[in-house]
Amino acid sequence: MIMGSARRDFADGSTLNLRAMVSPDPFMGKAGFPLLLAAGETADGVTPLVDRQHPHELVMELSASYARPLTDKDTVFAYIGYPGEPAFGPPAFMHRMSAMDSPEAPITHHWLDSTHIVFGVATLGWAHDGMKLEASSFTGREPDQNRYDFDPPEFDSWAVRATWNPTENWSLQASYADVTGPEQLEPDENDRKLSASAIHTRRIGADGWWSTTLAWGRKTDDHDESKDGWMLESALSPDDRWTVFARAERIETDELVPGIGGGHGELYTVAKASVGAVHDWQVAQNVRFGLGALYTVNQVPGPLEPLYGGDPDSGMIFMRLKVQ
């Protein structure tokens, strides 16, 4: 992932921020990448993804935000994105401090933050002290199988979010979204989504930090059937070389086994837990090379054990390059 930003400050105290973000995910092809117990979306426009994570768009975000102070404690702001992120859920997993060092996407992604790359977002908000209220209009449909183009904006969905930072270490949010036809293969199915989360982040020593996120999400379809997802994740970096991270998740899903005639099948509760670490070396000015490993255990109910060979486990070794 490559991200760039620019900021301009004005004499009246207002600020303008521009941001662009691109991802190499599309170069992996239309099959996505392995992720046990994940499901949702399609990468080829025909087949739903099961036990795989969809690749992101080449252009993940092109956005502009403008903020203007009204008083010492009050600020109004506006945000537009094409693509961009509406006012729903906690920060997307690749931006959360508790998640950004893990190469494994959370299976709660579609409960918490899957709206972060929709094509067409407009948000207005107001901040007062540690409180922030936002409302968004956005395109409900998730990006199609062509990961190199720009999908047409529809602005057929909406979301609201309230955020409270009671101290410099805590951030609490609750949000609601009414999403029109998010899935490409089920265009007539709508979702109502709820989310709540608590994030605690603190510094440790001169260069260290520790961040933890607890989040809950609920998806309710047009038939008033609800599915919940829970996630607890944490990352600890005692210095600028080591980061240790862990995550535990539990979701209710009906997308792992297709139903009769296609579509969703029976509802199952599955869970997974992972732990990993990464070590970074400074190889040049503003360039760091990292080598890490991750181990994951997955839990499935009895009816799914024949498909997964019991409760499967998995692992990965990964490399990364950070240019700052």
Side-chain angles (χ1 to χ4, degrees):
M1 184 176 64
I2 302 173
M3 183 170 64
S5 62
R7 170 173 169 156
R8 181 175 180 182
D9 298 314
F10 298 94
D12 60 2
S14 60
T15 59
L16 174 66
N17 287 279
L18 306 176
R19 187 162 75 167
M21 183 166 55
V22 297
S23 168
D25 280 9
F27 302 114
M28 295 187 302
K30 293 182 178 295
F33 55 90
L35 182 62
L36 287 175
L37 306 184
E41 291 198 38
T42 177
D44 60 8
V46 178
T47 307
L49 290 174
V50 178
D51 295 321
R52 303 190 74 83
Q53 168 68 13
H54 64 83
H56 286 97
E57 296 283 300
L58 175 65
V59 180
M60 293 177 64
E61 183 176 15
L62 287 176
S63 68
S65 59
Y66 176 79
R68 181 182 179 89
L70 301 179
T71 69
D72 291 341
K73 295 185 177 182
D74 296 277
T75 300
V76 292
F77 58 91
Y79 168 94
I80 56 172
Y82 184 64
E85 181 177 1
F88 179 79
F93 66 88
M94 65 284 298
H95 302 308
R96 289 196 302 266
M97 287 189 69
S98 57
M100 63 175 58
D101 287 289
S102 172
E104 185 179 56
I107 59 173
T108 47
H109 177 48
H110 281 258
W111 279 256
L112 301 176
D113 51 19
S114 62
T115 55
H116 72 104
I117 51 168
V118 294
F119 280 96
V121 181
T123 300
L124 294 176
W126 166 63
H128 174 79
D129 268 354
M131 289 288 299
K132 183 166 65 174
L133 299 175
E134 304 165 89
S136 296
S137 176
F138 64 97
T139 301
R141 178 64 51 82
E142 293 167 346
D144 62 20
Q145 74 275 13
N146 190 339
R147 303 291 172 172
Y148 300 94
D149 68 352
F150 289 78
D151 299 345
E154 298 292 343
F155 295 99
D156 52 9
S157 305
W158 60 274
V160 291
R161 177 168 59 192
T163 305
W164 180 38
N165 298 334
T167 72
E168 64 178 10
N169 301 116
W170 284 97
S171 181
L172 315 176
Q173 73 84 29
S175 50
Y176 173 86
D178 194 299
V179 189
T180 300
E183 298 289 346
Q184 181 181 353
L185 300 182
E186 297 176 311
D188 297 325
E189 292 288 331
N190 305 318
D191 278 341
R192 302 188 304 277
K193 303 177 73 173
L194 284 166
S195 170
S197 64
I199 299 176
H200 181 266
T201 303
R202 56 170 294 187
R203 291 198 173 275
I204 298 177
D207 301 312
W209 52 267
W210 182 17
S211 184
T212 301
T213 300
L214 173 65
W216 164 82
R218 170 172 290 176
K219 299 191 296 183
T220 303
D221 60 24
D222 288 335
H223 309 290
D224 291 329
E225 295 176 342
S226 296
K227 299 179 284 289
D228 286 2
W230 290 90
M231 182 203 69
L232 174 64
E233 65 186 13
S234 190
L236 171 64
S237 180
D239 51 42
D240 60 356
R241 294 170 297 167
W242 282 99
T243 304
V244 180
F245 50 87
R247 178 187 294 137
E249 300 177 272
R250 178 182 181 273
I251 61 171
E252 298 171 335
T253 178
D254 55 6
E255 298 180 84
L256 293 176
V257 180
I260 298 175
H264 294 185
E266 291 193 31
L267 187 68
Y268 296 104
T269 299
V270 298
K272 70 186 308 177
S274 62
V275 62
V278 59
H279 186 279
D280 290 302
W281 290 269
Q282 191 84 35
V283 295
Q285 186 176 4
N286 299 324
V287 179
R288 301 178 68 82
F289 170 78
L291 181 64
L294 170 73
Y295 177 71
T296 302
V297 293
N298 302 272
Q299 184 180 60
V300 298
L304 294 183
E305 288 186 354
L307 296 176
Y308 288 93
D311 292 328
D313 54 3
S314 59
M316 69 174 76
I317 297 174
F318 63 93
M319 297 180 294
R320 71 179 184 185
L321 192 67
K322 297 176 67 175
V323 180
Q324 299 174 319

